[in-house]
Amino acid sequence: MTKRKASQLETTEPEGASSGPRRSARQKRSALEETAPRDHVVNATTQKAPKKSGRSKAVDPGHPTNSEDEKTRAVTKEPNKKPKPKAAKAQNSSTTATKSNGTTNSSEKSFWLMKAEPGSRFENGTDVKFSIDDLASRTEPEPWDGIRNYMARNNLRAMKKGELAFFYHSNCKDPGIVGTMEIVHEHSPDLSAHDPKAPYYDASSKPEDPKWSVVHVKFRSKFAKPIGLRELREMGKPGQPLEDMQLLKQSRLSVSRVSPAEWDYLMSVANERGGEAE
């Protein structure tokens, strides 16, 4: 059978249908509006289609919705942003900070004060006299031995080669700072502690386990005018440059620390008084 075209199917009427002219949909609606009450007129253009029955399709939690897909695509399109580096902590600009007790940071150069007795005094039958002039006369590094105080010993052990120390005349008529010396050999065992004939023999110190230490020093300078203990005490009053000096806080300590600021101040005082002796 020959297939009919779609246009023929749409225009051919079934048998028994009226052969009169067909009214358009507009004419039918007009007739309906005339016979039906105004309140019941149905506006075909605004009537909503009935909702379909049944539950809507559940969203698979494993697959994002369209909006989530868009967000995901937006995120993946953005370049990976590196986290901003944290701001570096501010550095301390001071390289010569001095603690209140006169000590300095381990990375800084330290200064010292070491006491000796210029007048004759005998210990265990030996004269322990030793002055700045005795040190100046030495042609070899001098061992600073005889220290029998633990804090003084610890200060000896903290000394580094090349560091400087004040020479202090002690237990005499005019005690005070009389010059300077240099540490040329760092600490080693004090062998005099094991010698029964030595001035400061210590039977409790054993050669296999020595308790005491010694450093070697050499002469650097002698002041034209010493800085006496009475003057040092005036400089160590509250608010003065030496108020925290270990020498004045622990007066019986034979080896003490000197801060860089204290060292510079005392050297300026010595220079104002004529500097080094000729």
Side-chain angles (χ1 to χ4, degrees):
M1 180 181 295
T2 305
K3 293 182 179 179
R4 291 184 292 182
K5 294 181 180 180
S7 59
Q8 292 175 330
L9 290 172
E10 292 173 356
T11 56
T12 303
E13 295 182 0
E15 294 180 359
S18 173
S19 59
R22 297 176 61 187
R23 290 193 297 179
S24 65
R26 183 182 298 275
Q27 291 174 333
K28 290 181 179 180
R29 285 197 299 271
S30 299
L32 181 61
E33 290 174 359
E34 291 175 357
T35 58
R38 185 176 297 274
D39 294 340
H40 293 84
V41 175
V42 178
N43 189 347
T45 60
T46 59
Q47 186 176 7
K48 295 182 180 180
K51 293 183 180 180
K52 294 182 180 180
S53 62
R55 298 175 61 185
S56 61
K57 187 182 293 184
V59 178
D60 184 357
H63 295 79
T65 60
N66 292 339
S67 60
E68 290 174 343
D69 282 335
E70 292 174 0
K71 292 180 181 179
T72 303
R73 286 194 295 271
V75 171
T76 55
K77 288 180 181 179
E78 292 181 1
N80 293 330
K81 295 183 179 180
K82 296 182 179 180
K84 295 182 180 180
K86 294 182 179 180
K89 293 182 178 180
Q91 299 294 327
N92 186 358
S93 60
S94 175
T95 57
T96 58
T98 304
K99 298 179 182 179
S100 60
N101 62 359
T103 62
T104 58
N105 294 333
S106 59
S107 61
E108 297 176 348
K109 188 174 183 179
S110 297
F111 299 91
W112 310 93
L113 183 144
M114 303 163 76
K115 295 179 180 180
E117 299 179 29
S120 291
R121 186 176 68 82
F122 287 84
E123 282 283 344
N124 198 19
T126 302
D127 192 353
V128 295
K129 169 186 176 295
F130 192 75
S131 69
I132 186 75
D133 294 327
D134 293 324
L135 179 61
S137 66
R138 298 294 194 265
T139 57
E140 297 292 334
E142 179 71 11
W144 202 270
D145 55 7
I147 302 301
R148 299 296 180 264
N149 174 279
Y150 286 107
M151 184 175 291
R153 180 207 64 182
N154 291 343
N155 283 340
L156 282 180
R157 291 180 176 181
M159 294 177 179
K160 303 298 181 184
K161 182 179 179 180
E163 292 181 342
L164 302 177
F166 286 125
F167 195 119
Y168 184 96
H169 278 175
S170 178
N171 197 22
C172 59
K173 181 180 178 181
D174 297 310
I177 299 173
V178 295
T180 63
M181 52 189 172
E182 180 183 347
I183 313 302
V184 293
H185 294 305
E186 296 179 13
H187 73 91
S188 59
D190 186 352
L191 301 180
S192 68
H194 311 142
D195 182 2
K197 296 181 180 180
Y200 300 105
Y201 169 66
D202 183 0
S204 66
S205 180
K206 306 299 181 182
E208 63 274 12
D209 186 22
K211 291 172 58 177
W212 308 110
S213 299
V214 60
V215 297
H216 287 71
V217 300
K218 72 175 182 180
F219 174 83
R220 284 291 298 267
S221 68
K222 179 181 178 179
F223 293 161
K225 184 178 180 180
I227 305 174
L229 177 58
R230 184 175 298 179
E231 297 173 278
L232 292 171
R233 286 173 176 166
E234 288 294 322
M235 300 171 187
K237 289 183 177 180
Q240 298 301 311
L242 304 183
E243 64 174 332
D244 294 320
M245 192 172 186
Q246 192 175 33
L247 166 70
L248 303 175
K249 297 289 186 180
Q250 297 170 284
S251 59
R252 296 182 64 84
L253 197 61
S254 60
V255 180
S256 59
R257 290 180 177 269
V258 178
S259 74
E262 292 164 351
W263 179 272
D264 291 342
Y265 174 75
L266 289 169
M267 289 301 297
S268 67
V269 171
N271 290 331
E272 289 174 359
R273 297 181 177 188
E276 299 181 9
E278 295 180 358

